[in-house]
Amino acid sequence: GEAEEAAPVFQYAGKAAKRKDRVFVWGFCYSGALGVPSFVKPDVGWKKPRRIQSTPYRLETEEKISSAACGYGFTLLSSKTTDITKVWGMGLNKDSQLGFQRSIRDRTKGYEYVLEPSPIPLPLEKPQQTRVLQVSCGRAHSLILTDSEGVFTMGNNSYGQCGRTVVEDETYSESHLIHQLKEFDSRVVQVVCGQDHSLFRTKKGAVYACGWGADGQTGLGHYNITSVPTKLRGDIAGVNIIQISSYGDCCLAVSDEGDVFGWGNSEYLQLASVTETTQVNVPRHLPFKIGKVKEAACGGTGNIVLTEEGNVFVWGYGILGKGPNLIETAVPEMIPPSLFGCSDFNPDIRVAHIRCGLSQFAALTNRGELFVWGKNLRGCLGTGRMEDQYFPWRVTVPGEVVDVACGVDHMVSMVKSFT
Amino acid sequence: QGVQGSPFAGPKKRAWTGVSLPTTNHAAREGGMRRDLKIGAGHRLDVKASGVFVLGIGDGNKLLTDLYNCHLTKVYTVGGLFGKATDDFSDTGKLVEKTTFDHITREKLERILAVIQGTNHKALLMHSNIDMKTQEAYELAVKGLIRPMGKSPPIITAIRCLQFTLPEFQLEIQCLHETQQYLRKIVHEIGLELKSSAVCTQVRRIRDGVFTLDDALLRTQWNLQSIQNAIWDCQLKVKTEIEKTLGHQDKSHLHKMDAEMAQTADS
C-alpha cells in the first residue's frame, strides 16, 4: 500500500561488491600448524588450550593466498604479490623448514615452533618483481617455486632433499640457510615434496628428483640418496608430463595423453598392477583402463586419480572411500559420482580436483564443495566428528572452496566468499 | 455420504478447505443402509499454499499411515520476490524493510542454494540413525536412500533455481518433515544471505511421495467415477513403495489390498 511505497530502501551490498578470498584451517593445533596462537596459548587466563579444531576455522591473512602446503606439523602459505613478503610459515620449525624465525626475546635465537603465519624472507634478486607461484612441504623440508628465480629450498637436508650436498653433522635448527635451484632443462612449473624427497616438473615435461631413495622414490634407477636434482627416465623418458604428486614414499605422474606413471614404495599395492616388487626405482607406466587421467594424488598408502570424464578412482591400502569393506586393491576402483552430490536433480556436478594427505583424501567439485574421507587423525577431516570416514563426506565451509592442502593431521583450504 | 478418497489438486490460488462431495449410489444399492467411511488427510497444506493433497478413505487410511512411516520426500515450487522483508515471510505480510536487489545474480543465488543443499545433506545423514562405519551405510549413501525414518527437523534434500528474472525467482525444493512456513522462511533467509531481503509469493506442492500433479484431481473432477479411477490408478505404486521401504514390517494392510484388487479385477 502507500506506507510500503514510502518506506526507505536499504542497501547492504552494491552491484560491484566483490567476493572475498579467505583461508580456513582445521586439525591438530599444538604444533602451531593452524596459525592460530590462541589455540596453543590462550589469550585469556581461564581458557584452556585447544588440542583439535575439528571444523573449518577462518585464518586472517594479510594478502590473498594463492598456494598453501601442509607438511608434517607445519604449513606454508604464499601469495603472488610483488610485495616484499610473499611466503608465510607456521608450525614446527625444528629443522628450519620455515626458515630462520628470529625470537623476540633473544635475537640470536630462532623459534622452534611458530604459532602464527610469519614472513619467510627469501634471498631474491628482484624481490619487487619476482612472484612466488607455489609452495610444497614434506616431513621436515620445504620447496618454494618462483616464476623467474627458480626454486628455493629450506629445512632438513640429511638425504639431499633440499637439492644440495649433504653436510655431515649439519645442525638444521636455527639455520639461516635457504638454497636456490636453477639448473633444470627449462623453467620449473611444479614442485612436490614427498616425505624426505623432492620432485620438480619442468615446462618441457621432464621430472627431476633428489633426496631419500630407499624405496625408489627418486625414480633414478637406484636406492641411494641424491643431493642434486636429477632427471628421471624409465617409462617417462621423452614423455610430456603435465602433473606430478607425492606425499609419502610413492610417486605418480600424469602425461598430456592421460597416462599414469608410478614409482617408489609399493608395499601397499600402489604399483602392484605392474610388479610384485615392493619398491620400484624407475618410473613405470600403469596400464589402467579407466579413461584419460587428468590429475593424480599420492598419499601414504593410497592413491587417487581423476579422469577427464570427471570420475574418481582409488587404489592402494587403507580407507579408500568405498565403505569399510574395501581395504585394499591393486586396481583402481571408481567412487560412485552420487557420493559427490551428482544426482537426477543435479546432473552437472563433477569432481574438479583431488588431493591426498598421508591417510586421507579430498575432492573438490565444480560447485566449490569439499568432500573428504579417510582416517580422521586428530580431526584433520574437518567434519566436526572424530570418527574415521569411510566414504566421501561434505565439509561445511562458508564459501566456495577453491583449493585444499592436506597434511598428516591438518588441512588448509583457500575459499572465496559467496557474495 | 460414502466417498472414495484420492489425491486432490487444490486450485492455484485458493487452498482446499471443506467441500461437499457427491453421494454415491452405494447406499441406495445396499437397500438404503448408510455406510460411514472414514476420510483421512495426509500431509498438511496450510491456508496460503496449494498443490497435491493426499487423502485416504476407509482402508486407505491404513495405507496413509504406512506411507507416513515411509518418510518419503515432497517437492514444491516456491516463488520468491527480492526487495522486501515481511513479518510472516510472505508477500501478504506486514512490511519490515525494503532493500536493494540489483546486485543479485543467478550465479550468486545458486551458490547459496548449494550451501543449503550441503548443510541439509549432512543433516539427512545424521538424523537417519545409520552407523556410518558400516558397508550398509555406504551402499545406502550411494543410492541416495539414506533418510531419517523417524522424527527429524525439516530437511531439504534438493533445491534448485527454476526461474530467475529480478526481482522474481522460482525454486524447486525437495524436502522431508517440512511445513510450508518453513519453506517461506528459507526464502526469507536466502534474501538475507544475498545481502538483500525476500518474501515468498507462492508455495505449491507438486509431489507428495509417490503422488504427483498428474495423479491429482482438479475441482472439476471431484466426482465418483474420477475418484474411483484415481484410487485404482495409484494402487500399484503405493503398494510398491510401501513394500520397498517397510518390507520387513507387518503387511496385513497390503494383503487386504491384494484381495480387493483381485476382487475388482474379477468383477
Side-chain angles (χ1 to χ4, degrees):
Chain A
E2 258 184 45
E4 198 171 301
E5 291 281 308
V9 179
F10 289 89
Q11 177 174 58
Y12 292 101
K15 232 180 163 154
K18 279 169 81 178
R19 298 169 65 192
K20 298 182 199 55
D21 302 295
R22 303 219 151 104
V23 174
F24 284 83
V25 298
W26 60 91
F28 186 60
C29 308
Y30 285 172
S31 59
L34 300 191
V36 182
S38 60
F39 286 167
V40 183
K41 292 208 164 115
D43 36 18
V44 181
W46 55 267
K47 271 194 178 159
K48 275 171 42 179
R50 189 185 303 202
R51 179 170 173 266
I52 287 175
Q53 174 57 36
S54 63
T55 53
Y57 185 94
R58 180 151 159 237
L59 180 72
E60 303 266 359
T61 55
E62 282 155 21
E63 292 268 5
K64 176 186 170 179
I65 301 302
S66 59
S67 176
C70 294
Y72 291 38
F74 65 104
T75 310
L76 280 192
L77 304 173
S78 73
S79 164
K80 285 191 178 150
T81 183
T82 48
D83 287 355
I84 306 279
T85 302
K86 308 167 198 288
V87 186
W88 297 261
M90 56 252 206
L92 209 53
N93 196 31
K94 293 191 182 190
D95 286 86
S96 304
Q97 52 266 65
L98 306 175
F100 185 80
Q101 294 291 332
R102 199 179 300 278
S103 164
I104 294 178
R105 271 193 284 203
D106 180 352
R107 294 184 57 77
T108 63
K109 296 230 168 300
Y111 285 124
E112 274 195 336
Y113 289 89
V114 176
L115 299 184
E116 60 187 349
S118 304
I120 298 178
L122 296 173
L124 293 169
E125 253 185 53
K126 304 196 167 122
Q128 283 168 311
Q129 272 177 257
T130 304
R131 293 181 197 267
V132 168
L133 300 179
Q134 191 226 326
V135 289
S136 186
C137 302
R139 183 188 60 81
H141 73 295
S142 305
L143 300 178
I144 298 174
L145 174 66
T146 65
D147 59 353
S148 50
E149 291 192 46
V151 181
F152 291 88
T153 71
M154 312 178 300
N156 188 286
N157 190 51
S158 313
Y159 315 112
Q161 61 267 53
C162 286
R164 58 183 176 86
T165 313
V166 177
V167 172
E168 212 180 290
D169 295 327
E170 178 175 350
T171 307
Y172 297 107
S173 69
E174 298 176 286
S175 165
H176 288 82
L177 212 166
I178 297 185
H179 187 67
Q180 187 184 24
L181 295 170
K182 293 211 272 200
E183 303 291 311
F184 298 91
D185 67 358
S186 54
R187 195 162 63 79
V188 175
V189 293
Q190 187 193 0
V191 291
V192 166
C193 286
Q195 191 163 322
D196 285 299
H197 68 285
S198 301
L199 301 176
F200 311 82
R201 175 171 67 89
T202 67
K203 197 157 193 301
K204 283 191 176 165
V207 179
Y208 288 70
C210 62
W212 184 241
D215 277 319
Q217 56 267 71
T218 48
L220 295 168
H222 58 73
Y223 295 106
N224 311 317
I225 66 168
T226 307
S227 55
V228 173
T230 310
K231 193 191 281 205
L232 275 64
R233 297 188 49 77
D235 288 356
I236 64 170
V239 175
N240 183 12
I241 298 297
I242 57 161
Q243 194 249 335
I244 49 175
S245 174
S246 184
Y247 196 60
D249 296 317
C250 183
C251 309
L252 289 179
V254 179
S255 73
D256 58 351
E257 311 227 316
D259 293 309
V260 184
F261 301 81
W263 63 96
N265 185 289
S266 186
E267 282 173 71
Y268 303 99
L269 306 180
Q270 299 100 314
L271 308 171
S273 57
V274 287
T275 175
E276 272 176 18
T277 58
T278 49
Q279 277 85 21
V280 176
N281 63 13
V282 174
R284 295 288 307 273
H285 174 235
L286 304 179
F288 299 142
K289 300 259 182 290
I290 55 179
K292 272 183 85 168
V293 171
K294 205 158 70 150
E295 194 175 73
C298 282
T301 61
N303 292 338
I304 182 172
V305 293
L306 174 66
T307 64
E308 290 283 341
E309 283 159 48
N311 289 319
V312 175
F313 289 82
V314 287
W315 77 99
Y317 173 86
I319 298 179
L320 297 176
K322 296 189 70 168
N325 288 3
L326 183 67
I327 304 269
E328 61 179 16
T329 170
V331 173
E333 288 209 20
M334 191 174 91
I335 295 189
S338 56
L339 290 175
F340 299 111
C342 189
S343 66
D344 293 334
F345 223 74
N346 289 303
D348 298 324
I349 292 192
R350 294 279 180 286
V351 172
H353 295 289
I354 36 131
R355 303 276 181 259
C356 244
L358 198 62
S359 43
Q360 77 275 37
F361 299 87
L364 292 168
T365 68
N366 55 1
R367 289 238 243 151
E369 290 194 298
L370 170 63
F371 287 82
V372 295
W373 64 99
K375 286 208 82 62
N376 195 10
L377 192 56
R378 300 187 266 275
C380 66
L381 292 183
T383 56
R385 292 158 49 236
M386 294 310 293
E387 285 90 344
D388 295 336
Q389 182 58 36
Y390 290 88
F391 55 91
W393 185 261
R394 255 186 198 87
V395 176
T396 305
V397 183
E400 187 184 309
V401 183
V402 172
D403 206 350
V404 67
C406 306
V408 172
D409 56 10
H410 77 292
M411 284 201 206
V412 173
S413 61
M414 271 112 37
V415 174
K416 259 189 148 49
S417 68
F418 287 123
T419 49
Chain B
Q1 294 172 359
V3 145
Q4 309 277 2
S6 67
F8 281 74
K12 249 192 162 180
K13 291 297 175 193
R14 276 164 35 227
W16 182 89
T17 48
V19 76
S20 106
L21 298 157
T23 53
T24 68
N25 292 327
H26 215 91
R29 265 195 265 126
E30 294 212 31
M33 274 176 54
R34 294 180 66 110
R35 266 184 36 206
D36 286 332
L37 287 169
K38 262 174 75 168
I39 302 176
H43 297 112
R44 291 193 196 0
L45 261 186
D46 68 19
V47 164
K48 288 198 275 263
S50 64
V52 175
F53 185 54
V54 181
L55 297 144
I57 176 133
D59 292 331
N61 281 296
K62 297 200 194 98
L63 294 177
L64 262 191
T65 307
D66 283 342
L67 282 177
Y68 177 81
N69 290 328
C70 284
H71 299 274
L72 302 172
T73 59
K74 300 173 217 70
V75 184
Y76 294 80
T77 49
V78 175
L81 183 73
F82 288 117
K84 61 180 187 175
T86 58
D87 62 350
D88 68 353
F89 313 136
S90 82
D91 56 343
T92 55
K94 182 164 163 252
L95 179 75
V96 167
E97 187 179 78
K98 276 161 57 173
T99 57
T100 59
F101 53 81
D102 53 359
H103 60 280
I104 300 178
T105 61
R106 187 174 185 142
E107 196 195 34
K108 285 183 186 169
L109 173 61
E110 284 177 341
R111 263 183 247 130
I112 303 297
L113 299 185
V115 179
I116 293 175
Q117 199 153 268
T119 15
N120 274 267
H121 178 75
K122 288 175 58 179
L124 186 72
L125 293 164
M126 302 262 67
H127 287 281
S128 65
N129 261 328
I130 280 210
D131 184 355
M132 296 270 290
K133 301 212 276 280
T134 60
Q135 192 66 20
E136 186 204 352
Y138 165 73
E139 306 287 353
L140 288 173
V142 172
K143 290 190 209 135
L145 284 182
I146 295 188
R147 59 179 188 265
M149 294 302 287
K151 273 198 179 307
S152 86
I155 296 182
I156 291 179
T157 50
I159 184 169
R160 63 180 171 174
C161 176
L162 294 176
Q163 279 182 49
F164 182 88
T165 324
L166 280 181
E168 293 172 353
F169 63 99
Q170 195 186 56
L171 306 174
E172 187 180 78
I173 304 183
Q174 183 187 56
C175 46
L176 264 184
H177 305 164
E178 83 294 349
T179 58
Q180 288 82 45
Q181 190 57 15
Y182 178 77
L183 299 177
R184 292 187 192 98
K185 187 162 179 227
I186 296 283
V187 169
H188 167 81
E189 287 176 351
I190 287 173
L192 294 180
E193 281 295 322
L194 289 167
K195 300 206 178 93
S196 177
S197 56
V199 291
C200 181
T201 54
Q202 184 200 53
V203 176
R204 185 165 182 250
R205 186 153 67 201
I206 61 176
R207 183 187 185 100
D208 184 339
V210 299
F211 299 101
T212 67
L213 281 178
D214 290 337
D215 301 313
L217 296 178
L218 300 173
R219 200 81 168 71
T220 51
Q221 296 167 304
W222 293 358
N223 57 66
L224 180 62
Q225 191 58 54
S226 305
I227 291 170
Q228 277 185 320
N229 291 342
I231 294 178
W232 177 250
D233 287 339
C234 77
Q235 280 201 333
L236 182 60
K237 64 178 175 180
V238 167
K239 179 177 144 111
T240 310
E241 189 58 53
I242 292 176
E243 246 170 40
K244 176 171 137 190
T245 308
L246 302 178
H248 57 284
Q249 292 182 7
D250 179 25
K251 292 198 250 188
S252 58
H253 325 289
L254 291 174
H255 288 162
K256 197 159 188 199
M257 228 180 141
D258 277 338
E260 276 174 19
M261 276 173 84
Q263 243 181 27
T264 340
D266 289 341
S267 60

